[in-house]
Amino acid sequence: MSKNYYEILGVPENASVDEIKKAFRKLAMKFHPDRNPGNKSAENHFKDISEAYDILGDEQKRRQYDTMRKYGAFAGTGFDPRQGSAGGFDPSKSGQNFRFEDLGGLGSFADIFSSIFGGEDLFGRRRGGMPRQPQKRRGSDITIKLPIDFYEAVKGATKTIHLSKPTTCRVCGGTGEQAGSGQHVCPQCGGRGTVSYAQGAFSISRPCPRCLGKGIIPGKPCDRCGGSGRVKEKKTIKIKIPAGISDGGRIRLKGMGNPGTNGGPEGDLIVIVNAGKNQQFDRQGNDIYTRVEIPYPKAVLGGKVQVKTLTKNISLNIPPGTKSGTKLRLKRMGLSVNGSQGDQYVEIGIAVPTEVTAKQRELLEELAKTF
């Protein structure tokens, strides 16, 4: 009985060419021998999915395969896609002396991945063995923590930091080589960017370790950066802290991160703000909370008390009969952030004296008799 190529690729029998290609790509990347060294099961499975794609990825072979499955031609003869007809195909022998570069009738293994990956093989090499142009890559971000005090977070501030970070070498422009020394084709891979070696019945390709898959190597290394294209420099950076920023808030400075590669843009500098606490004020969003202690008579009779806000001292009216824990609201006395104005809440506490004079005791005892 022949193999069911649809089951091998995990696609329905009415799958489109794109669905078949997508399924093959996913499985080929998963079971590729380079990703599963020494795994015989993965090696065999890779042969099966390559064979399945060889048939189902070709319109004529797929039509023959479907026809012969429909009429039961596999019962005694089998299907030989290489002959295009029934008879003489032994699935158990499929894949012997198998090479990635030759999948029989469909073209080289590189051609298969070229059709999927848009002109490049599995290892990022251009068809025809030519080294691809180095890809520009954006530099990575740098993240730092910046401590600020409570009022700097509330009112805003400008902070200056000194940061030592990699920057693109100005002498070589990031190429890593001395001007005029010239680049040349990598002698190890001949400019292909990959090297091949035999592993049993397989021919394995890997990115060239000398040129790192680029196919070219630089000339004489730059004296300043030693060929890396980067140098560490100390930077003095001014950071504007917006008013009302919260603890843990982030500030992103574009282009102040690590340099890119192959002419790519620099990453960003991300500043995480650590806002300090204040003994008198507690912040919750845009609202401010504070607490004042008043004597018992004022809580009973009412009166005024001085309260500190973020900007000034004000006189707060205490209603008669105010209980401990009562919160009085001061409208629009909180933080203003992005057009949203918060409030200030004043929690009232009753101050109980630990010591009293003889006269105070006498008066309190008289008062107590009235309750």
Side-chain angles (χ1 to χ4, degrees):
M1 180 65 69
S2 176
K3 301 172 184 176
N4 187 329
Y5 295 134
Y6 292 103
E7 289 185 356
I8 291 174
L9 291 183
V11 296
E13 295 186 6
N14 62 348
S16 66
V17 174
D18 287 339
E19 289 173 332
I20 291 172
K21 183 183 294 186
K22 183 178 180 181
F24 170 69
R25 174 182 177 175
K26 181 178 179 180
L27 293 171
M29 296 295 287
K30 179 178 180 180
F31 293 102
H32 191 283
D34 272 7
R35 294 193 171 188
N36 303 272
N39 189 332
K40 192 67 177 178
S41 176
E43 178 183 312
N44 291 333
H45 198 58
F46 183 80
K47 294 179 187 178
D48 288 341
I49 61 177
S50 300
E51 179 185 314
Y53 185 72
D54 183 14
I55 305 305
L56 301 184
D58 183 278
E59 184 177 352
Q60 182 178 358
K61 292 179 183 179
R62 182 181 180 184
R63 185 164 53 249
Q64 292 176 330
Y65 173 72
D66 288 342
T67 300
M68 301 187 74
R69 290 182 74 238
K70 180 178 179 181
Y71 293 104
F74 294 136
T77 58
F79 174 67
D80 186 352
R82 294 156 184 78
Q83 299 298 327
S85 62
F89 178 60
D90 183 356
S92 66
K93 297 180 180 179
S94 173
Q96 292 183 2
N97 298 319
F98 177 84
R99 291 173 59 86
F100 294 159
E101 290 79 5
D102 185 8
L103 288 178
L106 186 61
S108 71
F109 183 69
D111 290 337
I112 295 175
F113 277 93
S114 177
S115 67
I116 295 175
F117 300 132
E120 295 184 353
D121 65 15
L122 181 62
F123 305 101
R125 182 181 60 185
R126 292 287 181 185
R127 296 187 66 179
M130 296 300 293
R132 63 177 177 177
Q133 291 297 318
Q135 184 178 3
K136 293 183 178 181
R137 296 187 182 276
R138 177 183 178 275
S140 59
D141 294 335
I142 297 175
T143 301
I144 65 170
K145 293 184 178 181
L146 179 64
I148 61 176
D149 65 38
F150 178 83
Y151 282 103
E152 287 175 330
V154 169
K155 298 180 180 181
T158 298
K159 304 288 284 185
T160 300
I161 65 170
H162 302 283
L163 182 67
S164 178
K165 75 179 193 71
T167 58
T168 301
C169 177
R170 289 190 293 269
V171 174
C172 67
T175 64
E177 63 181 6
Q178 288 188 18
S181 63
Q183 297 178 335
H184 57 277
V185 175
C186 175
Q188 185 165 345
C189 67
R192 293 185 300 274
T194 61
V195 291
S196 301
Y197 63 94
Q199 181 176 320
F202 292 88
S203 177
I204 307 296
S205 295
R206 291 185 181 275
C208 177
R210 183 165 182 178
C211 66
L212 303 178
K214 294 181 179 179
I216 55 175
I217 56 178
K220 188 177 180 182
C222 171
D223 290 334
R224 175 165 172 76
C225 66
S228 68
R230 299 183 179 188
V231 292
K232 270 204 169 185
E233 291 185 351
K234 290 184 178 180
K235 296 279 187 179
T236 299
I237 303 173
K238 289 188 176 182
I239 303 173
K240 186 176 181 180
I241 308 297
I245 192 169
S246 59
D247 182 47
R250 294 183 172 222
I251 302 171
R252 182 180 291 270
L253 301 179
K254 294 286 187 180
M256 298 298 292
N258 287 316
T261 55
N262 302 320
E266 292 185 328
D268 300 334
L269 175 63
I270 300 174
V271 181
I272 301 177
V273 172
N274 288 343
K277 303 295 183 180
N278 184 275
Q279 292 184 348
Q280 190 166 6
F281 297 112
D282 182 32
R283 177 183 176 182
Q284 297 182 24
N286 292 350
D287 295 330
I288 295 294
Y289 290 79
T290 190
R291 179 183 172 89
V292 295
E293 301 280 337
I294 63 174
Y296 175 73
K298 188 167 289 189
V300 175
L301 302 175
K304 293 185 177 297
V305 64
Q306 290 295 306
V307 175
K308 186 176 182 180
T309 70
L310 294 175
T311 57
K312 60 184 178 179
N313 291 337
I314 65 171
S315 181
L316 176 64
N317 185 53
I318 305 297
T322 297
K323 297 179 180 180
S324 180
T326 298
K327 289 185 175 66
L328 301 178
R329 178 185 177 192
L330 301 178
K331 291 184 178 181
R332 303 182 63 81
M333 297 301 291
L335 276 71
S336 178
V337 181
N338 298 324
S340 178
Q341 181 72 53
D343 301 323
Q344 179 169 337
Y345 292 88
V346 181
E347 182 179 353
I348 303 300
I350 306 299
V352 178
T354 56
E355 295 181 1
V356 294
T357 64
K359 181 63 175 178
Q360 288 172 332
R361 176 177 290 277
E362 180 183 346
L363 293 173
L364 285 172
E365 288 176 347
E366 287 295 324
L367 179 64
K369 292 176 182 180
T370 64
F371 288 98

